[in-house]
């Protein structure tokens, strides 16, 4: 019982940190949105996940010189967003839904890793860091599945998890590997 009481402030801190993302998601559900350019290509790739043409590379990029241009790294963003896209009826809003869920999970992970490192004070400190990161990055960035925006929250989780590993938490190298992949 005492352990539950100690965890409650950290849970509240994590919830408060991600409330702006949830509010933004609800607000976006009322606005019609049709993705264009890179986001339209992202939607095409997300639609293909699980089918005959499941993407195996990232979006084409302006990397290199024509005609030997490269692709952005990996299709993980497509794979992670696809279930939420389908849950939302395969609508463009579903991509935003997926981005908000994944970013929220990453920020809650930051708070939980902070609690593992420094107890309640560490968790609350990381909740404040998550709130500042959400404010600094902006809701427009954290609700769009665009390739450069997508890994920003996961990068923060990677940094905090790597810090925990360096501090002696030997259960988190898997999290570092997953976030770094």
């Amino acid at each position: 019982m005492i352990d539950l009481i100690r965890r409650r402030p950290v849970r509240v801190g994590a919830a408060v940190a991600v409330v702006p993302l949830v509010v933004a998601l609800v607000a976006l559900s009322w606005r019609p949105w049709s993705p264009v350019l890179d986001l339209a290509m992202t939607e095409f790739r997300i639609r293909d996940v699980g089918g005959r043409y499941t993407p195996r590379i990232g979006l084409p990029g302006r990397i290199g010189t024509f005609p030997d241009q490269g692709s952005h790294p990996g299709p993980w963003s497509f794979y992670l967003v696809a279930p939420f896209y389908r849950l939302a009826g395969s609508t463009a809003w579903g991509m935003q839904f997926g981005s908000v869920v994944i970013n929220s999970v990453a920020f809650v992970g930051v708070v939980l890793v902070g609690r593992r490192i420094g107890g309640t004070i560490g968790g609350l400190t990381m909740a404040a860091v998550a709130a500042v990161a959400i404010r600094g990055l902006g809701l427009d960035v954290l609700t769009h599945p665009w390739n450069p925006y997508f890994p920003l929250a996961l990068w923060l989780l990677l940094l905090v998890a790597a810090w925990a590993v360096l501090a002696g938490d030997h259960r988190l190298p898997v999290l570092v590997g997953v976030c770094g992949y």
Side-chain angles (χ1 to χ4, degrees):
M1 183 69 175
I2 293 175
D3 192 41
L4 180 64
I5 293 170
R6 287 183 187 156
R7 290 182 182 189
R8 184 169 291 157
V10 175
R11 290 179 182 166
V12 169
V16 167
V18 298
V19 161
L21 288 170
V22 175
V23 170
L25 182 66
V26 171
L28 289 171
S29 70
W30 297 101
R31 280 191 347 190
W33 178 58
S34 298
V36 295
L37 302 171
D38 286 352
L39 290 171
M41 292 174 63
T42 299
E43 186 171 9
F44 288 145
R45 298 288 169 90
I46 289 170
R47 284 181 186 176
D48 290 341
V49 170
R52 183 174 178 186
Y53 300 106
T54 297
R56 291 178 179 84
I57 60 173
L59 287 178
R62 294 170 288 280
I63 304 166
T65 57
F66 187 77
D68 299 320
Q69 291 182 311
S71 293
H72 291 281
W76 278 105
S77 62
F78 310 139
Y79 299 163
L80 292 173
V81 172
F84 303 103
Y85 178 75
R86 290 192 175 88
L87 275 173
S90 297
T91 62
W93 179 80
M95 295 191 310
Q96 294 173 317
F97 173 50
S99 294
V100 166
V101 169
I102 292 162
N103 286 326
S104 295
V105 167
F107 285 121
V108 169
V110 165
V111 174
L112 295 178
V113 171
R115 187 182 74 206
R116 284 181 68 98
I117 295 170
T120 301
I121 299 298
L124 291 174
T125 302
M126 287 297 118
V129 167
V132 169
I134 290 169
R135 173 71 172 109
L137 293 171
L139 296 175
D140 191 41
V141 168
L142 295 173
T143 58
H144 278 77
W146 192 39
N147 204 11
Y149 293 166
F150 195 76
L152 295 174
L154 294 171
W155 174 248
L156 181 61
L157 179 58
L158 176 114
L159 291 176
V160 174
W163 175 33
V165 170
L166 291 174
D169 191 336
H170 299 296
R171 291 186 181 180
L172 292 181
V174 173
L175 182 60
V176 171
V178 168
C179 290
Y181 191 73

